[in-house]
Amino acid sequence: MTFKKLKSTLKITGIIASLLVLTGTLVLLWRTFFTSGYGTYSGQTSFYLLTFPVALFILGGAAFIILLLLIWKKSALFLKMIWAIICISFVGIALLSGFQNQYYAEHIDAETALMDNYTFSFSGTDTYSDLEEDVVYKTVEDEDLLLDVWDTKVNDENRPVIVNIHGGGWSSGDKSEVSSWSRWFNSKGYVVFNVEYSQNGPDMWQKQISDTHAALKWIVEHADEYHLDENRINLIGFSAGGHLALLTGYTELNENSLISRETGSDSTVKINSIINLYGPSDLLQLYDDTNSKEFIQPLLEQLMDGQPKTEEIKHRYRQMSPIQYVNETSAPTISFVGLKDKVVPEEQIEILHKKLDENKVDNQAYYFPFSDHSYDTNWESITTQSTRQKIEEFLNEYN
């Protein structure tokens, strides 16, 4: 191959590569602004770029370097325009997401550090006194269900409790995944219990809520051992764990049936407050209205043992929807969701808090403008900073 032919081949390759990168950038923009496609490659990439916007700056910087090389080589104008668009798109989203979330943080009176938003941070404080792992709280069919106990350095009697329920689409995930939050709560003086739950086999919709209620019962039974205040038990959950936290907090388990908690109930566990991070409240509506049906519908069908096409299965979806159990005695609830959440739309939070308002239950809800599902993966993002501050204020008020 002559040098002239090689040069021509490289030029064509460069054009094709540039067009492919531009196409990919436009797809990411579409996934970002229209909040769809979680579970797809582009949807997952969009999630990580929104959650860690420093990556957008890195990509924008790389595009700018290529643009400078094209200018230096006096390449075709349309190639320069392509890479200018790519550069502006990445840097623009990084700046827009940061400023929008910072503006919202100021609106809700949260003090945040803008520059911390542009970091790769997966964990927070390492402060804790003692970690007791893999404590058996329930055994079913020769399977042990476990929890971890994060104790504190405070040795006083009557210490407040956080029950921490992980996410994972009801079918995956692990109690260790919420360890950053457990360490943080631990540093605030809470004894934290990270709870696992059943994730395989039929009837998951019955097993999982039975598991979380069993964990609560175990914690109360061991209150003296861990010096716990039974009147200061708080639930927190993330995504599917948020759903389970809400459902557990609003219900009692009566002979394998769920009923709403009532004043003067014989229930052995009093729930002081519930913290819900992007967890759904109405599973029937979620099935129909999620922005990522190809991702969430199979998870719901696996959880509920079927599609909601018959009255029997629709009733099952309603039974497992926290919104069905809200009443005037429900625990104070705080919720967080991103307006770019590709899995749980903000309507899931809105309808829950409307029901809480109707029943005159103390509640707070926060909607972060440029945040996706599991936004707290970035521990130092503006949204996670704001979330921590609002949770601390909430717990201080109700504990």
Side-chain angles (χ1 to χ4, degrees):
M1 179 181 292
T2 65
F3 177 75
K4 188 174 182 180
K5 286 184 178 180
L6 177 62
K7 187 176 180 181
S8 176
T9 300
L10 290 174
K11 183 177 180 180
I12 293 171
T13 302
I15 292 171
I16 294 172
S18 298
L19 290 172
L20 288 173
V21 173
L22 177 61
T23 301
T25 302
L26 294 175
V27 170
L28 288 178
L29 286 171
W30 179 74
R31 291 295 194 196
T32 299
F33 285 99
F34 292 95
T35 61
S36 65
Y38 197 90
T40 64
Y41 288 118
S42 56
Q44 291 294 93
T45 303
S46 174
F47 158 74
Y48 283 110
L49 292 180
L50 266 185
T51 305
F52 298 97
V54 65
L56 288 164
F57 276 129
I58 294 171
L59 292 172
F64 182 69
I65 292 172
I66 293 173
L67 175 61
L68 291 179
L69 288 172
L70 291 172
I71 294 172
W72 177 54
K73 289 292 186 178
K74 297 181 181 180
S75 299
L77 178 61
F78 79 93
L79 275 179
K80 299 173 190 173
M81 291 178 63
I82 286 175
W83 285 96
I85 291 171
I86 294 170
C87 176
I88 292 170
S89 296
F90 285 135
V91 174
I93 295 176
L95 292 173
L96 182 62
S97 64
F99 291 145
Q100 284 278 353
N101 284 325
Q102 180 71 16
Y103 175 80
Y104 184 73
E106 293 171 357
H107 174 71
I108 61 175
D109 297 322
E111 297 180 3
T112 58
L114 177 62
M115 293 311 297
D116 287 350
N117 190 60
Y118 300 105
T119 60
F120 288 107
S121 179
F122 291 91
S123 64
T125 176
D126 290 328
T127 303
Y128 64 91
S129 171
D130 184 35
L131 171 59
E132 185 180 358
E133 295 184 281
D134 298 335
V135 179
V136 178
Y137 74 86
K138 179 181 179 181
T139 301
V140 180
E141 298 175 355
D142 297 325
E143 178 186 4
D144 290 337
L145 290 174
L146 310 173
L147 55 77
D148 294 341
V149 186
W150 298 74
D151 210 333
T152 74
K153 293 182 178 179
V154 179
N155 294 318
D156 297 336
E157 297 287 337
N158 302 324
R159 297 178 297 172
V161 176
I162 294 288
V163 180
N164 199 347
I165 306 175
H166 68 83
W170 302 280
S171 60
S172 62
D174 184 81
K175 54 187 170 61
S176 64
E177 294 176 4
V178 288
S179 294
S180 291
W181 279 102
S182 297
R183 283 194 292 269
W184 182 76
F185 284 122
N186 203 224
S187 72
K188 302 298 179 182
Y190 291 85
V191 180
V192 184
F193 295 85
N194 285 11
V195 177
E196 71 174 21
Y197 46 86
S198 302
Q199 294 180 352
N200 52 66
D203 300 326
M204 281 299 100
W205 60 285
Q206 291 178 315
K207 291 179 181 177
Q208 291 184 355
I209 191 64
S210 175
D211 295 342
T212 53
H213 274 287
L216 281 178
K217 183 179 178 182
W218 185 94
I219 290 167
V220 170
E221 289 173 350
H222 291 77
D224 291 340
E225 177 184 346
Y226 293 102
H227 307 293
L228 309 177
D229 185 347
E230 296 178 30
N231 292 314
R232 289 192 289 169
I233 295 178
N234 308 273
L235 304 179
I236 183 171
F238 305 80
S239 191
H243 161 259
L244 291 172
L246 292 170
L247 194 60
T248 305
Y250 294 155
T251 64
E252 297 176 47
L253 195 59
N254 184 16
E255 296 181 355
N256 296 322
S257 296
L258 291 177
I259 59 173
S260 297
R261 289 177 181 266
E262 300 289 349
T263 303
S265 163
D266 293 332
S267 172
T268 57
V269 183
K270 176 183 180 295
I271 302 302
N272 215 43
S273 69
I274 305 171
I275 303 163
N276 171 36
L277 275 77
Y278 41 85
S281 61
D282 187 331
L283 298 190
L284 265 181
Q285 181 169 319
L286 178 67
Y287 189 90
D288 292 331
D289 297 339
T290 178
N291 296 313
S292 300
K293 291 183 178 180
E294 71 283 355
F295 174 75
I296 198 68
Q297 286 185 346
L299 293 176
L300 285 171
E301 291 164 12
Q302 180 180 357
L303 172 69
M304 306 304 295
D305 292 335
Q307 300 177 358
K309 291 184 176 181
T310 66
E311 280 304 314
E312 177 187 356
I313 298 182
K314 284 181 181 179
H315 178 66
R316 193 179 297 168
Y317 275 70
R318 294 188 192 98
Q319 280 184 298
M320 286 292 285
S321 294
I323 198 170
Q324 299 293 324
Y325 302 97
V326 173
N327 62 29
E328 66 276 3
T329 68
S330 296
T333 303
I334 186 171
S335 295
F336 304 87
V337 70
L339 295 182
K340 299 301 180 185
D341 196 313
K342 297 177 178 64
V343 179
V344 178
E346 66 270 20
E347 287 82 9
Q348 288 287 316
I349 306 302
E350 290 172 351
I351 59 176
L352 171 64
H353 286 266
K354 181 181 178 182
K355 188 76 174 288
L356 291 165
D357 285 337
E358 290 171 354
N359 285 272
K360 296 181 173 53
V361 178
D362 289 347
N363 69 91
Q364 300 172 33
Y366 297 97
Y367 306 87
F368 296 108
F370 256 88
S371 298
D372 203 338
H373 200 67
S374 302
Y375 62 79
D376 54 306
T377 303
N378 183 352
W379 186 251
E380 293 300 334
S381 69
I382 291 171
T383 49
T384 310
Q385 293 177 57
S386 302
T387 301
R388 288 200 303 271
Q389 182 173 327
K390 289 302 170 183
I391 287 176
E392 185 172 7
E393 292 171 359
F394 178 77
L395 288 173
N396 289 342
E397 182 175 357
Y398 294 105
N399 288 273

Coordinates of all heavy atoms in Angstrom, one line a residue, residues 363-395:
N363 N -44.1 14.1 56.9 CA -43.3 13.6 55.8 C -42.5 14.7 55.0 O -42.9 15.9 55.1 CB -44.2 12.8 54.8 CG -45.1 13.7 54.0 OD1 -44.7 14.2 52.9 ND2 -46.3 14.0 54.5
Q364 N -41.5 14.3 54.4 CA -40.7 15.1 53.5 C -40.3 14.4 52.2 O -40.0 13.2 52.3 CB -39.4 15.6 54.2 CG -39.6 16.4 55.5 CD -38.3 16.6 56.3 OE1 -37.2 16.8 55.6 NE2 -38.4 16.6 57.6
A365 N -40.2 15.1 51.1 CA -39.8 14.4 49.9 C -38.9 15.4 49.1 O -39.2 16.6 49.0 CB -41.0 14.1 49.0
Y366 N -37.8 14.9 48.5 CA -36.9 15.7 47.8 C -36.6 15.1 46.4 O -36.5 13.8 46.3 CB -35.6 15.7 48.6 CG -35.7 16.4 49.9 CD1 -35.9 15.7 51.1 CD2 -35.8 17.8 50.0 CE1 -36.2 16.3 52.3 CE2 -36.0 18.4 51.2 CZ -36.2 17.7 52.4 OH -36.4 18.3 53.6
Y367 N -36.6 16.0 45.4 CA -36.5 15.6 44.0 C -35.2 16.3 43.4 O -35.3 17.5 43.1 CB -37.7 15.9 43.3 CG -39.0 15.4 43.9 CD1 -39.7 16.1 44.9 CD2 -39.6 14.2 43.5 CE1 -40.8 15.6 45.5 CE2 -40.7 13.7 44.1 CZ -41.3 14.4 45.1 OH -42.5 14.0 45.6
F368 N -34.2 15.5 43.2 CA -32.9 16.1 42.7 C -33.0 16.2 41.1 O -33.2 15.1 40.5 CB -31.7 15.3 43.2 CG -31.6 15.4 44.6 CD1 -31.9 14.2 45.4 CD2 -31.2 16.5 45.3 CE1 -31.8 14.3 46.8 CE2 -31.1 16.6 46.7 CZ -31.4 15.5 47.4
P369 N -32.7 17.4 40.6 CA -33.0 17.6 39.1 C -32.1 16.8 38.2 O -32.6 16.3 37.2 CB -32.8 19.1 38.9 CG -32.0 19.5 40.1 CD -32.4 18.6 41.3
F370 N -30.9 16.6 38.5 CA -30.0 15.9 37.5 C -29.3 14.7 38.2 O -28.1 14.6 38.3 CB -28.9 16.8 37.0 CG -29.2 17.3 35.6 CD1 -29.9 18.4 35.3 CD2 -28.7 16.5 34.5 CE1 -30.2 18.8 34.0 CE2 -28.9 16.9 33.2 CZ -29.7 18.1 33.0
S371 N -30.2 13.8 38.7 CA -29.7 12.6 39.4 C -30.5 11.4 38.9 O -31.7 11.4 38.7 CB -29.9 12.8 40.9 OG -29.1 13.8 41.4
D372 N -29.7 10.3 38.8 CA -30.3 9.0 38.3 C -30.5 8.1 39.5 O -30.3 8.4 40.7 CB -29.3 8.4 37.3 CG -30.0 7.4 36.3 OD1 -31.1 6.9 36.7 OD2 -29.4 7.1 35.3
H373 N -31.0 6.9 39.2 CA -31.2 5.8 40.2 C -29.9 5.6 40.9 O -28.8 5.6 40.3 CB -31.7 4.6 39.5 CG -32.4 3.6 40.4 ND1 -33.6 3.9 41.0 CD2 -32.1 2.4 40.8 CE1 -34.0 2.9 41.7 NE2 -33.1 1.9 41.7
S374 N -29.9 5.3 42.2 CA -28.7 5.0 43.0 C -27.7 6.1 42.9 O -26.5 5.8 42.8 CB -28.1 3.6 42.5 OG -29.0 2.6 42.6
Y375 N -28.1 7.3 42.9 CA -27.2 8.5 42.8 C -26.2 8.5 43.9 O -25.1 9.1 43.7 CB -28.0 9.8 42.7 CG -28.8 10.1 44.0 CD1 -28.2 10.6 45.1 CD2 -30.2 9.9 44.0 CE1 -28.9 10.8 46.3 CE2 -30.9 10.1 45.1 CZ -30.3 10.6 46.3 OH -31.0 10.9 47.4
D376 N -26.5 7.9 45.1 CA -25.6 7.9 46.2 C -24.4 7.0 46.0 O -23.6 6.9 46.9 CB -26.3 7.6 47.5 CG -27.1 6.3 47.4 OD1 -27.9 6.1 46.5 OD2 -26.8 5.4 48.3
T377 N -24.3 6.3 44.9 CA -23.1 5.6 44.5 C -21.9 6.5 44.6 O -20.8 6.1 45.0 CB -23.2 5.0 43.1 OG1 -24.3 4.1 43.1 CG2 -21.9 4.2 42.8
N378 N -22.1 7.8 44.2 CA -21.0 8.8 44.4 C -21.3 9.5 45.8 O -22.2 10.3 45.9 CB -21.1 9.9 43.3 CG -20.0 10.9 43.4 OD1 -19.3 11.0 44.3 ND2 -20.0 11.8 42.4
W379 N -20.5 9.1 46.7 CA -20.7 9.5 48.1 C -20.6 11.0 48.3 O -21.2 11.5 49.2 CB -19.7 8.7 49.0 CG -19.9 9.0 50.5 CD1 -19.1 9.7 51.3 CD2 -21.0 8.4 51.3 NE1 -19.7 9.7 52.6 CE2 -20.8 8.9 52.6 CE3 -22.1 7.6 51.0 CZ2 -21.7 8.6 53.6 CZ3 -23.0 7.3 52.0 CH2 -22.7 7.8 53.3
E380 N -19.8 11.7 47.5 CA -19.6 13.1 47.7 C -20.3 14.0 46.7 O -20.0 15.2 46.6 CB -18.1 13.4 47.6 CG -17.3 12.9 48.8 CD -17.7 13.4 50.2 OE1 -18.3 14.5 50.2 OE2 -17.5 12.7 51.2
S381 N -21.2 13.4 45.9 CA -22.0 14.2 45.0 C -22.8 15.2 45.7 O -23.1 15.0 46.9 CB -22.9 13.3 44.1 OG -23.9 12.7 44.9
I382 N -23.3 16.3 45.1 CA -24.1 17.3 45.7 C -25.4 16.6 46.2 O -25.8 16.9 47.3 CB -24.4 18.4 44.7 CG1 -23.2 19.2 44.4 CG2 -25.5 19.3 45.2 CD1 -23.3 20.2 43.3
T383 N -25.9 15.7 45.4 CA -27.2 15.1 45.9 C -27.0 14.2 47.1 O -27.8 14.2 48.0 CB -27.8 14.2 44.7 OG1 -26.7 13.4 44.2 CG2 -28.3 15.1 43.6
T384 N -25.9 13.5 47.2 CA -25.6 12.6 48.4 C -25.3 13.5 49.6 O -25.7 13.2 50.7 CB -24.5 11.6 48.1 OG1 -24.7 10.9 46.9 CG2 -24.4 10.6 49.2
Q385 N -24.6 14.6 49.4 CA -24.3 15.5 50.5 C -25.6 16.0 51.0 O -25.8 16.1 52.2 CB -23.5 16.7 50.0 CG -22.0 16.4 49.6 CD -21.3 17.6 49.1 OE1 -21.2 18.6 49.7 NE2 -20.8 17.5 47.8
S386 N -26.5 16.5 50.1 CA -27.8 17.0 50.5 C -28.6 15.9 51.2 O -29.3 16.2 52.2 CB -28.6 17.5 49.3 OG -27.9 18.5 48.6
T387 N -28.6 14.7 50.7 CA -29.4 13.6 51.3 C -28.9 13.3 52.7 O -29.7 13.2 53.6 CB -29.3 12.4 50.4 OG1 -29.7 12.6 49.1 CG2 -30.0 11.2 51.0
R388 N -27.6 13.3 52.9 CA -27.1 13.0 54.2 C -27.6 14.1 55.2 O -28.0 13.8 56.4 CB -25.6 12.9 54.2 CG -25.0 11.7 53.6 CD -23.6 11.4 54.0 NE -22.7 12.5 53.7 CZ -22.0 12.7 52.6 NH1 -22.2 11.8 51.6 NH2 -21.2 13.7 52.4
Q389 N -27.5 15.4 54.8 CA -27.8 16.5 55.7 C -29.3 16.4 56.0 O -29.7 16.5 57.2 CB -27.5 17.8 55.0 CG -27.8 19.0 55.9 CD -27.4 20.3 55.3 OE1 -26.3 20.4 54.6 NE2 -28.1 21.4 55.6
K390 N -30.2 16.1 55.1 CA -31.6 16.1 55.3 C -32.0 14.9 56.2 O -32.9 15.0 57.0 CB -32.4 16.1 54.0 CG -32.3 17.4 53.3 CD -32.9 18.5 54.2 CE -32.6 19.9 53.6 NZ -33.1 21.0 54.5
I391 N -31.3 13.8 56.0 CA -31.6 12.6 56.8 C -31.2 12.9 58.3 O -31.9 12.5 59.2 CB -30.8 11.4 56.3 CG1 -31.5 10.9 55.0 CG2 -30.8 10.2 57.3 CD1 -30.7 9.7 54.3
E392 N -30.0 13.5 58.4 CA -29.6 13.8 59.8 C -30.5 14.7 60.5 O -30.9 14.5 61.7 CB -28.2 14.4 59.8 CG -27.6 14.7 61.2 CD -26.1 15.1 61.1 OE1 -25.6 15.4 60.0 OE2 -25.5 15.2 62.2
E393 N -31.0 15.8 59.8 CA -32.0 16.7 60.4 C -33.3 15.9 60.7 O -33.9 16.1 61.8 CB -32.3 17.8 59.4 CG -31.1 18.8 59.2 CD -31.4 19.7 58.1 OE1 -32.5 19.7 57.5 OE2 -30.5 20.6 57.8
F394 N -33.7 15.0 59.8 CA -34.9 14.3 60.0 C -34.8 13.4 61.2 O -35.7 13.3 62.1 CB -35.2 13.4 58.7 CG -36.4 12.5 58.8 CD1 -37.6 13.0 58.6 CD2 -36.2 11.2 58.9 CE1 -38.8 12.2 58.6 CE2 -37.3 10.3 58.9 CZ -38.6 10.8 58.8
L395 N -33.7 12.6 61.3 CA -33.5 11.7 62.5 C -33.4 12.5 63.8 O -33.9 12.0 64.8 CB -32.3 10.9 62.2 CG -32.4 9.8 61.2 CD1 -31.0 9.1 60.9 CD2 -33.4 8.7 61.6

